Amino acid sequence: MHTSEDYFKETRKVNPLTRLLWWAAGADRKLLMQCPHADHVKFFGLGGIVLATGLLAAISGGYAFYTIFSPKEIQGAMESSIDWLSVVKATIFGILWGLVIFNLDRFIISSSGIGDGSGRITPRMLLHAIPRILMALVLSIAIAAPLEIRIFKTEIDGELFRVQNERILELNKITDAEFEERIRVALTDRGALEEEIKNQEQLIKQQEIKYQEEIAGRVSGVPGAGSAAKAIRYYIDNRLKPDLEKMKMENTTSIATLNTDIESLRAEKEIAYQNNKNQAKKLDGLLQRLLLAEEIAGWKIIWLIRMIFIVIETGPIFFKMMVVKGTYDYLEENLKEEIKANAGILSNTEANLSDMKPKDYVYVGSQRVIGDKIKWYKAQEELSDHIVNQWKKREKSKVDENLDDYVEKVNNNGE
């Protein structure tokens, strides 16, 4: 016949991974070593869920931080290069985030009760578990959100390319409206100055033609350089040409200034275009990607993914409420009772063992300690009563021997 003694005589080694998962589940390894294999498997699986959640949180947080820290680019057909400095930062923050989530999950699981041990979730148990369930819901959504944008990265990049280019076109229209008017005014002023020079040159050409016609005698009918021809020549050489030179000198300076202004405006416009592009790059952020993910996939797909993480995160809480009490649970309760009893912490029912209600299981070790403590306290009480009674007898004898001296002595001590 195979007994429990034979079971514990068997050599059972616990590998480091099992110890880690037991610790993640908040289990006491010393107690688990006294339990059957079923309890080992239960806490191994529970710790595995907690550890897996922490690892998923680290990956999710790392990708979220990389999205935040990485240089922003206009998304296109080409895959952007990896920024290794951002990778290092994201890895550090991802590990810290994973440890935070792991610690919170471990606290939630280890602080969750196991219900009444019947395997049923009662409304009262569910009500008490609401704070832990809410915490698990928030954590699961926080873990799922960055992974959603990684799952739909290809579709998000394509949509982001469209959104960024629409933003660039929108900003460029505003820039064009701002600079085109200023450039147009400068071009108009430059054209007016150039037109003045052309008009003056045209006037000189007309006068030159008139002079040649006068020489030919087609105007006055007298060929040769007569008085009329000389007057035209004088007008050209002494009025029109000096005015043209002066005009060229003044207008050329003004035109050069206007050309500089126009080039400066065009350079500013190009800078504004680049700023618009940089502004559009900022749309490649975490929030924008989350919004696009929900827009692309639809709320049904998004919530399907989130529900998977919600089940992973809240599963251990419901599992602990549904689980039937095992050997480990009774050993843990017994240990707690013994520790309380050794510390002298006794409830009213424990202080009066005869009035205790029957229990399904009796913790013999803790009850023995409780009984010993009660006997010790009763003995102390009896000794205290005996000391007080003996003191009273001694004081009474002093009063009987000499009442006046005793009263005087009491009065002096009171003063």
Side-chain angles (χ1 to χ4, degrees):
M1 181 179 177
H2 188 78
T3 63
S4 61
E5 293 181 358
D6 297 328
Y7 179 79
F8 288 111
K9 287 178 182 178
E10 297 175 2
T11 303
R12 293 180 295 166
K13 295 182 179 180
V14 181
N15 59 58
L17 176 61
T18 301
R19 292 186 181 185
L20 172 64
L21 296 183
W22 284 356
W23 175 77
D28 189 327
R29 183 171 60 86
K30 293 181 180 179
L31 289 181
L32 270 178
M33 292 301 295
Q34 305 175 44
C35 298
H37 185 66
D39 285 322
H40 295 188
V41 175
K42 179 174 70 175
F43 284 98
F44 183 91
L46 197 61
I49 295 175
V50 175
L51 182 61
T53 304
L55 292 175
L56 286 173
I59 296 171
S60 172
Y63 184 75
F65 284 116
Y66 181 78
T67 303
I68 294 170
F69 291 132
S70 62
K72 306 305 178 212
E73 298 293 340
I74 299 296
Q75 297 300 319
M78 299 297 294
E79 185 72 19
S80 58
S81 60
I82 297 175
D83 182 68
W84 291 106
L85 179 60
S86 299
V87 170
V88 173
K89 292 179 181 178
T91 301
I92 295 172
F93 280 101
I95 292 172
L96 292 176
W97 177 247
L99 290 174
V100 169
I101 299 300
F102 173 80
N103 186 57
L104 282 173
D105 278 342
R106 185 171 180 269
F107 168 75
I108 292 172
I109 298 304
S110 60
S111 64
S112 298
I114 59 171
D116 57 6
S118 63
R120 294 180 292 105
I121 299 179
T122 63
R124 182 181 180 84
M125 291 161 54
L126 194 60
L127 182 65
H128 289 168
I130 284 178
R132 295 182 179 86
I133 294 173
L134 291 177
M135 289 176 63
L137 287 174
V138 173
L139 292 178
S140 60
I141 293 175
I143 295 171
L147 294 179
E148 293 166 7
I149 64 176
R150 186 62 188 89
I151 293 171
F152 301 107
K153 183 178 185 303
T154 304
E155 293 82 359
I156 291 173
D157 285 348
E159 185 65 17
L160 195 58
F161 178 68
R162 180 188 64 81
V163 172
Q164 288 176 325
N165 279 282
E166 286 182 353
R167 181 59 174 167
I168 290 174
L169 292 175
E170 180 184 343
L171 293 174
N172 284 350
K173 285 181 180 179
I174 298 173
T175 301
D176 290 339
E178 177 183 353
F179 283 93
E180 281 182 0
E181 179 61 23
R182 297 165 63 186
I183 293 174
R184 188 189 64 80
V185 171
L187 288 173
T188 301
D189 292 342
R190 186 183 69 177
L193 294 174
E194 291 174 344
E195 189 65 24
E196 284 184 6
I197 296 174
K198 288 180 181 179
N199 291 338
Q200 188 68 11
E201 290 175 343
Q202 186 66 28
L203 179 59
I204 292 173
K205 287 180 181 180
Q206 291 174 357
Q207 291 299 317
E208 288 287 354
I209 293 172
K210 186 178 179 180
Y211 173 75
Q212 293 299 328
E213 289 179 346
E214 186 63 37
I215 292 292
R218 289 193 292 268
V219 178
S220 61
V222 181
S227 59
K230 290 180 180 179
I232 295 172
R233 184 78 265 167
Y234 181 85
Y235 178 64
I236 293 172
D237 293 338
N238 295 282
R239 293 286 303 275
L240 295 181
K241 286 187 176 181
D243 288 346
L244 176 61
E245 292 302 321
K246 181 179 180 182
M247 185 182 297
K248 281 184 176 181
M249 187 180 297
E250 293 177 353
N251 289 9
T252 299
T253 303
S254 300
I255 289 172
T257 303
L258 288 171
N259 285 334
T260 302
D261 293 341
I262 291 169
E263 290 302 319
S264 177
L265 288 171
R266 286 173 176 168
E268 289 180 21
K269 185 178 179 181
E270 291 301 321
I271 293 173
Y273 280 160
Q274 186 59 44
N275 290 336
N276 293 343
K277 188 176 181 180
N278 293 335
Q279 186 70 23
K281 287 180 181 179
K282 295 179 181 179
L283 291 175
D284 186 18
L286 184 63
L287 177 60
Q288 184 67 31
R289 286 182 172 271
L290 288 172
L291 294 174
L292 288 176
E294 189 159 354
E295 180 182 330
I296 292 169
W299 68 270
K300 292 181 180 178
I301 300 297
I302 291 297
W303 275 102
L304 176 62
I305 297 172
R306 291 177 183 177
M307 286 301 298
I308 294 173
F309 286 93
I310 289 173
V311 169
I312 294 173
E313 189 72 28
T314 60
I317 299 175
F318 290 102
F319 169 77
K320 291 197 73 174
M321 289 191 290
M322 292 187 297
V323 72
V324 177
K325 277 188 176 181
T327 305
Y328 176 86
D329 303 310
Y330 291 112
L331 288 176
E332 186 181 34
E333 288 184 4
N334 182 60
L335 179 63
K336 290 178 180 179
E337 293 295 328
E338 286 193 26
I339 292 173
K340 289 194 296 183
N342 282 319
I345 303 172
L346 309 176
S347 67
N348 292 331
T349 56
E350 290 167 343
N352 189 1
L353 294 178
S354 60
D355 295 337
M356 288 183 64
K357 296 180 180 179
K359 297 181 179 179
D360 294 334
Y361 289 87
V362 176
Y363 301 118
V364 177
S366 62
Q367 293 302 319
R368 178 183 59 77
V369 174
I370 291 172
D372 291 343
K373 285 290 182 180
I374 291 174
K375 290 177 183 178
W376 186 84
Y377 285 132
K378 286 184 177 179
Q380 287 287 97
E381 185 179 357
E382 290 176 0
L383 287 174
S384 297
D385 291 341
H386 179 71
I387 292 171
V388 172
N389 289 332
Q390 292 299 319
W391 178 79
K392 286 172 65 177
K393 288 180 181 180
R394 188 183 67 184
E395 293 300 310
K396 283 182 179 180
S397 64
K398 290 181 181 180
V399 171
D400 294 338
E401 289 175 1
N402 194 330
L403 178 61
D404 293 335
D405 289 344
Y406 187 83
V407 171
E408 184 178 355
K409 182 179 178 180
V410 171
N411 290 334
N412 291 334
N413 288 337
E415 294 175 356

